[in-house]
């Protein structure tokens, strides 16, 4: 009898606890539903994960089997002429093609997975590129706060990279993480479903296209700038040098994949590290002349927001991370890889920026190699031009893939006819559009030849959005039920700070460009 009474009391207490829990969860869900966040129950989350996973397997796994079977048969394409080479981070589940694009080149899904070291090398390529040349200019206008921002941006970009990858996963019935999304676009579309299932993907696509094309433009700008300052005695202007550089880049229009270019990626990065060492070695030789008193604790209110964009743009790698993590042998090592790559980038960028600024102080130029003596400058700049030209094909090819998939090959929903023939060959007008894109980057570089201002504008416009705003917003939206209070605090803080920095940097970059044209200011 006592046992029966205890059993009934236990059941009543348990039912009461569940009732209170469900009511509390319903209230919280109702509040955040008004804000657009999904405070879903575990059963709802599990159902979503299973449906999304099965749907993805049906739409993509079956398609991959067909394509792989055709490739083994020697075709390399299906009956409608679909080609390999689609950018993995752009796949939204309806695309006709199914290969992946990495920061180091084009990789098919049936190829061996990469190690965490190889993944780290790709991330290092993305965040230790040409654009560190503009960091001393950021210290010129930001002083010690600029150094702090180099550290702060590394921490935030590392964190947002991790939470972006977390949005690719949902818990399965055993409480294990299951990868149910495959790209930045998939995450964006999931956040906008069910009302606007494709809106998020379009926004991310536009942001990625802008960033990739602006990166191409910056490579042309810096090539013309470096050549002009390497040979000041030549009667050739910076714009003319940019034309020469673009002529060397026209073969990029014929690229089908980046296998050939990826072979130069390692040498390209090694050359960049050698250049950094040469610049730092020269600065160390003048250590007795370092102007520590020039490093300010106050900031130039008008110029510093541009520096924020420069610093943020130098850390952008988020658009490649979903593809990178999906092709790692051990995805569990992704967080560790992000930690050591961003710590290394933070240390190297901070040292490079500070040492270079201490050497030239108020005479620091937008591209720091322009401050070197003419004898050293010519050699270093030639290596940098080679690096810039070899780096151009990756963002160009990625931009082409995004445009082709969105406008010409979007699973029957494209706005324009397919730019590939049934035999898999690129049509003449398709090749003409690629050439036109190369020429467009040249025209932008000729008419807006301001490296730091363009870098700050791009960092403020798309860099902050892709690195700060969207990852934190998506994380809150998709992972709300799993977040602790400090995760919510971090995400909201990053979104607010990133939004303020993006708006202020964009406004001041535009003002800087207007001022440069009004007073005919040259780099």
């Amino acid at each position: 009898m006592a046992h029966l009474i205890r059993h009934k009391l236990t059941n009543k207490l348990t039912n009461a606890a569940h009732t209170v829990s469900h009511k509390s969860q319903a209230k919280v869900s109702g509040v955040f539903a008004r804000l657009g966040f999904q405070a879903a129950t575990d059963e709802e989350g599990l159902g979503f994960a299973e449906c999304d996973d099965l749907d993805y397997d049906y739409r993509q796994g079956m398609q991959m089997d067909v394509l792989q079977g055709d490739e083994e048969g020697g075709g390399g394409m299906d009956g409608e002429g679909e080609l390999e080479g689609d950018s993995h981070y752009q796949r939204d589940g309806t695309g006709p093609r199914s290969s992946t694009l990495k920061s180091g080149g084009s990789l098919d899904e049936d190829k061996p997975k990469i190690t965490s070291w190889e993944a780290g090398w790709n991330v290092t390529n993305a965040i230790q590129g040409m654009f560190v040349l503009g960091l001393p200019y950021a210290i010129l206008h930001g002083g010690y706060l600029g150094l702090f921002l180099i550290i702060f941006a590394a921490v935030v970009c590392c964190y947002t990279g991790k939470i972006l990858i977390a949005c690719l996963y949902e818990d399965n019935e055993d409480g294990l993480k299951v990868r149910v999304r495959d790209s930045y676009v998939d995450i964006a579309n999931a956040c906008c479903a069910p009302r606007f299932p494709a809106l998020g993907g379009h926004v991310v696509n536009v942001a990625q296209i802008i960033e990739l094309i602006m990166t191409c433009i910056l490579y042309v700008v810096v090539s013309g700038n470096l050549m002009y300052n390497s040979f000041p005695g030549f009667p050739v202007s910076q714009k003319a040098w940019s034309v020469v550089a673009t002529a060397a880049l026209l073969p990029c229009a014929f690229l089908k994949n980046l296998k050939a270019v990826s072979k130069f990626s390692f040498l390209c990065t090694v050359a960049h590290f050698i250049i950094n060492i040469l610049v730092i070695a020269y600065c160390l030789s003048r250590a007795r002349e370092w102007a520590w008193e020039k490093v300010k604790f106050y900031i130039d209110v008008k110029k510093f927001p541009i520096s924020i964009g420069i610093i943020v743009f130098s850390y952008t790698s988020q658009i490649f991370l979903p593809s990178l993590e999906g092709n790692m042998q051990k995805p569990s090592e992704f967080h560790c890889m992000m930690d050591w790559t961003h710590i290394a980038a933070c240390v190297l960028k901070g040292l490079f920026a500070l040492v270079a600024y201490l050497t030239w102080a108020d005479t620091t130029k937008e591209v720091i190699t322009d401050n070197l003596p003419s004898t050293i400058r010519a050699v270093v700049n030639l290596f940098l031009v080679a690096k810039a030209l070899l780096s151009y094909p990756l963002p160009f090819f990625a931009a082409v893939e995004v445009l082709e998939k969105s406008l010409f090959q979007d699973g029957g929903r494209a706005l324009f006819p397919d730019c590939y023939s049934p035999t898999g060959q690129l049509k003449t007008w398709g090749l003409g559009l690629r050439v036109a894109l190369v020429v467009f980057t040249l025209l932008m570089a000729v008419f807006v030849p301001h490296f730091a201002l363009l870098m700050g504008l791009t960092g403020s416009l798309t860099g902050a959005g892709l690195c700060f705003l969207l990852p934190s917003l998506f994380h809150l939206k998709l992972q709300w039920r799993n977040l602790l209070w400090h995760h919510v605090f971090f995400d909201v803080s990053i979104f607010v700070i990133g939004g303020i920095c993006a708006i202020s940097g964009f406004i001041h970059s535009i003002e800087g460009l207007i001022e440069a044209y009004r007073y005919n200011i040259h780099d």
Side-chain angles (χ1 to χ4, degrees):
M1 185 67 178
H3 176 74
L4 181 60
I5 293 174
R6 278 200 308 271
H7 181 68
K8 290 183 177 180
L9 288 174
T10 302
N11 286 340
K12 289 183 177 180
L13 291 174
T14 302
N15 291 335
H18 282 302
T19 301
V20 172
S21 175
H22 290 321
K23 287 182 178 179
S24 300
Q25 187 176 27
K27 290 180 179 179
V28 173
S29 300
V31 171
F32 283 94
R34 295 187 183 95
L35 299 177
F37 298 106
Q38 297 296 328
T41 62
D42 292 337
E43 290 79 10
E44 291 170 339
L46 175 59
F48 170 76
E50 292 176 343
C51 291
D52 201 348
D53 200 24
L54 290 173
D55 184 55
Y56 178 79
D57 287 340
Y58 177 79
R59 289 185 285 105
Q60 295 286 43
M62 298 292 290
Q63 196 173 45
M64 276 300 302
D65 292 339
V66 174
L67 287 176
Q68 288 174 358
D70 290 342
E71 288 174 359
E72 291 172 359
M77 56 185 177
D78 63 14
E80 296 184 9
E82 294 165 350
L83 296 175
E84 62 181 6
D86 187 22
S87 53
H88 184 67
Y89 57 84
Q90 284 297 317
R91 189 173 58 194
D92 62 358
T94 59
R97 297 183 295 168
S98 54
S99 63
T100 66
L101 177 65
K102 287 298 203 320
S103 57
S106 177
L107 296 173
D108 297 334
E109 291 188 5
D110 58 347
K111 291 195 174 182
K113 300 288 186 178
I114 60 175
T115 65
S116 58
W117 283 99
E118 292 170 329
W121 186 256
N122 286 325
V123 173
T124 300
N125 271 338
I127 63 178
Q128 293 276 27
M130 292 284 296
F131 306 114
V132 298
L133 299 176
L135 292 180
Y137 186 77
I139 304 299
L140 173 65
H141 298 298
Y144 286 110
L145 185 56
L147 284 175
F148 169 76
L149 277 178
I150 291 176
I151 300 172
F152 178 75
V155 173
V156 173
C157 288
C158 182
Y159 173 76
T160 56
K162 293 176 181 178
I163 64 176
L164 182 67
I165 296 304
C167 293
L168 298 173
Y169 290 84
E170 294 287 348
D171 293 334
N172 67 2
E173 57 187 7
D174 298 322
L176 301 176
K177 296 292 184 182
V178 178
R179 201 175 201 264
V180 298
R181 303 179 189 94
D182 205 41
S183 68
Y184 211 144
V185 171
D186 289 342
I187 296 172
N189 285 335
C191 286
C192 294
R195 293 184 179 180
F196 307 101
L199 176 62
H202 293 324
V203 172
V204 171
N205 271 338
V206 170
Q208 288 184 146
I209 290 170
I210 292 174
E211 179 154 327
L212 291 167
I213 293 179
M214 288 298 291
T215 302
C216 293
I217 294 170
L218 284 168
Y219 282 133
V220 178
V221 170
V222 77
S223 297
N225 181 288
L226 292 171
M227 292 300 294
Y228 177 73
N229 289 281
S230 298
F231 306 101
F234 279 34
V236 181
S237 66
Q238 177 177 331
K239 295 179 180 179
W241 281 119
S242 296
V243 173
V244 174
T246 306
L249 295 172
L250 284 175
C252 292
F254 297 90
L255 285 175
K256 291 185 177 180
N257 55 64
L258 292 180
K259 291 180 181 178
V261 178
S262 64
K263 296 178 181 178
F264 298 98
S265 179
F266 177 79
L267 295 177
C268 189
T269 306
V270 169
H272 181 68
F273 278 110
I274 292 174
I275 291 166
N276 284 355
I277 292 172
L278 290 175
V279 173
I280 292 176
Y282 175 80
C283 294
L284 292 175
S285 69
R286 297 180 52 186
R288 293 182 180 180
E289 304 173 17
W290 282 0
W292 285 97
E293 70 280 1
K294 295 290 186 178
V295 185
K296 305 176 291 290
F297 282 97
Y298 62 92
I299 62 174
D300 184 336
V301 177
K302 188 174 182 180
K303 297 286 187 181
F304 184 64
I306 302 174
S307 301
I308 296 175
I310 292 173
I311 293 170
V312 170
F313 189 70
S314 70
Y315 280 106
T316 53
S317 65
Q318 270 71 3
I319 60 177
F320 299 107
L321 294 183
S323 172
L324 207 60
E325 190 267 352
N327 281 274
M328 290 178 63
Q329 292 176 357
K330 298 180 180 179
S332 59
E333 297 179 353
F334 177 82
H335 282 205
C336 179
M337 180 273 295
M338 288 291 288
D339 289 337
W340 67 258
T341 52
H342 282 74
I343 289 173
C346 175
V347 172
L348 291 175
K349 288 180 178 181
L351 287 175
F352 181 84
L354 179 61
V355 169
Y357 175 74
L358 289 173
T359 304
W360 289 287
D362 292 339
T363 60
T364 300
K365 297 183 179 180
E366 292 187 4
V367 181
I368 194 60
T369 54
D370 291 347
N371 288 102
L372 291 171
S374 57
T375 53
I376 303 176
R377 185 197 313 157
V379 176
V380 172
N381 283 358
L382 286 175
F383 278 103
L384 283 171
V385 170
K387 175 176 172 56
L389 296 180
L390 289 173
S391 300
Y392 181 96
L394 176 59
F396 173 81
F397 186 74
V400 166
E401 287 290 318
V402 175
L403 290 170
E404 286 182 354
K405 184 175 186 301
S406 301
L407 301 178
F408 302 99
Q409 297 175 324
D410 194 10
R413 299 176 299 171
L415 298 175
F416 304 101
D418 197 338
C419 56
Y420 287 92
S421 66
T423 59
Q425 298 296 320
L426 182 65
K427 295 179 181 178
T428 303
W429 61 267
L431 178 61
L433 291 177
R434 289 190 176 197
V435 174
L437 184 59
V438 177
V439 175
F440 174 75
T441 61
L442 167 65
L443 294 176
M444 287 293 294
V446 167
F447 289 107
V448 194
H450 299 279
F451 178 75
L453 292 174
L454 274 177
M455 189 174 170
L457 177 64
T458 307
S460 301
L461 183 62
T462 60
L466 293 172
C467 293
F468 293 170
L469 304 181
L470 294 182
S472 57
L473 182 63
F474 293 165
H475 194 227
L476 288 170
K477 175 79 173 181
L478 296 176
Q479 299 292 321
W480 172 256
R481 64 183 181 276
N482 299 323
L483 299 183
L484 301 177
W485 69 268
H486 61 276
H487 293 144
V488 176
F489 175 77
F490 289 155
D491 290 348
V492 173
S493 299
I494 290 171
F495 184 85
V496 172
I497 295 173
I500 294 172
C501 293
I503 294 172
S504 61
F506 177 76
I507 293 174
H508 286 85
S509 295
I510 293 294
E511 289 178 349
L513 287 171
I514 293 173
E515 182 180 345
Y517 280 99
R518 179 178 297 171
Y519 299 103
N520 197 26
I521 300 173
H522 298 283
D523 290 348

